[in-house]
Amino acid sequence: MSLEQALTEVRSWIDQAARVVVLTGAGISTDSGIPDFRGPQGVWTRNPAAERLSTIDNYLTEPQVRRDAWQARLGHSAWRAQPNRAHEALVGLERRGKLHALITQNIDELHQIAGNSPELVIEVHGTMRRAMCWQCGERSPMLETLARVQAGEPDPGCRSCGGILKSDTIYFGQALDQEVLARALQAAGEADVLIAVGSTLQVYPIAEVVPIAHRSGGRVVIVNRESTALDDLADALLRGSISEILPVIC
Ligand code: NAD
């Protein structure tokens, strides 16, 4: 089947569906100027050592890792990024009343900035726009803490308890929020169509939404320019640019 035929078929599935569930990974935001991690130009593909900045044990025990992480946050491309046509297409899907849940591995909040309702967005890896204290759990806007870094504190501590501050995202070695995960897995089981967009589908347990939707009788659509770990489960594989494909199918 050609890509054109596959796009037409997926459009008709979405037209007929009452509940569309979308899982997004870093690939949806690359056209907004935020690099992914594992794609060909990914941050870790180009510099495997960068993974240490997001590994909880390194972060908690090595002050230099924290100082490097604060500098990386300060310069993060997400602060300048705007939603692209793919994010906008998912806002259109919500306006049509089709979007049952928007599960995202992303931490950039571009779905909410584009206009998707926060209640529909399930952020399984948290958000970089908030800081949290590892010790007392207090949350605060990330930009407030970044202002302290800019003012000369290389590794700012919690203002309430002095504990280590990090971004409110899930690092390697850190457990996912079980309630958030349960919401995501439940939504996947309720999907008439599940669209997995721009994720390598290697990171568990969240990649589990694909087999869950498949087992529950939902159609699985995978949108990616490369193959993914779960292509075998897809009813349609849409190989190409996410920001070109999503406006066509949504
Ligand atoms: P990944 O980096 O592992 O993979 C992204 C996938 O998208 C790759 O298969 C790549 O080939 C594909 N892709 C990239 N740009 C594309 C495009 N324009 N069109 C079509 N395909 C494209 O993604 P992941 O598994 O989601 O990332 C791992 C984790 O890193 C995520 O769970 C997330 O927490 C975090 N992360 C978040 C952001 C963000 O918030 N924007 C960015 C980088 C990493």
Side-chain angles (χ1 to χ4, degrees):
M1 193 191 285
S2 71
L3 179 61
E4 288 308 312
Q5 287 167 323
L7 291 171
T8 307
E9 188 164 46
V10 171
R11 274 174 74 127
S12 74
W13 294 345
I14 292 175
D15 286 344
Q16 288 155 26
R19 292 173 165 185
V20 179
V21 173
V22 181
L23 168 70
T24 62
I28 196 170
S29 294
T30 55
D31 282 345
S32 293
I34 306 175
D36 60 18
F37 284 168
R38 299 186 185 82
Q41 295 303 316
V43 173
W44 297 340
T45 311
R46 286 163 17 146
N47 175 17
E51 205 167 331
R52 286 166 71 80
L53 304 186
S54 310
T55 302
I56 194 68
D57 283 347
N58 297 116
Y59 190 85
L60 294 177
T61 57
E62 298 173 41
Q64 188 58 46
V65 166
R66 292 199 293 279
R67 289 193 284 267
D68 291 347
W70 284 112
Q71 288 305 316
R73 285 176 197 130
L74 207 51
H76 201 291
S77 43
W79 301 115
R80 300 179 300 275
Q82 294 298 321
N84 64 54
R85 292 178 64 218
H87 298 99
E88 285 160 12
L90 297 179
V91 177
L93 199 62
E94 179 177 340
R95 293 210 177 112
R96 289 174 71 195
K98 301 269 180 196
L99 188 65
H100 182 52
L102 175 43
I103 305 163
T104 187
Q105 298 176 272
N106 293 344
I107 57 172
D108 55 30
E109 291 194 32
L110 288 186
H111 292 305
Q112 295 94 319
I113 293 169
N116 279 117
S117 307
E119 310 85 74
L120 289 184
V121 181
I122 304 176
E123 290 176 314
V124 288
H125 291 166
T127 171
M128 59 169 286
R129 293 178 194 262
R130 250 186 347 246
M132 75 160 298
C133 172
W134 184 251
Q135 200 161 311
C136 72
E138 188 174 271
R139 263 84 175 171
S140 56
M142 176 58 85
L143 287 176
E144 282 177 12
T145 311
L146 286 181
R148 292 170 61 192
V149 179
Q150 254 169 334
E153 288 183 65
D155 179 20
C158 174
R159 283 238 156 99
S160 298
C161 76
I164 291 176
L165 288 181
K166 64 187 279 293
S167 74
D168 195 5
T169 54
I170 306 289
Y171 290 20
F172 284 103
Q174 212 186 323
L176 297 194
D177 180 319
Q178 291 304 307
E179 260 177 53
V180 175
L181 178 64
R183 257 184 87 202
L185 299 184
Q186 176 170 346
E190 295 164 348
D192 300 318
V193 177
L194 177 105
I195 314 175
V197 180
S199 170
T200 50
L201 300 176
Q202 286 175 1
V203 180
Y204 280 82
I206 200 57
E208 198 64 43
V209 299
V210 173
I212 287 177
H214 177 72
R215 280 199 302 273
S216 311
R219 295 202 203 257
V220 171
V221 178
I222 295 183
V223 186
N224 204 305
R225 62 159 70 107
E226 302 183 302
S227 58
T228 78
L230 298 177
D231 282 0
D232 288 350
L233 295 184
D235 295 285
L237 276 180
L238 303 179
R239 227 10 103 62
S241 153
I242 292 165
S243 58
E244 287 171 19
I245 290 175
L246 283 199
V248 177
I249 61 170
C250 291

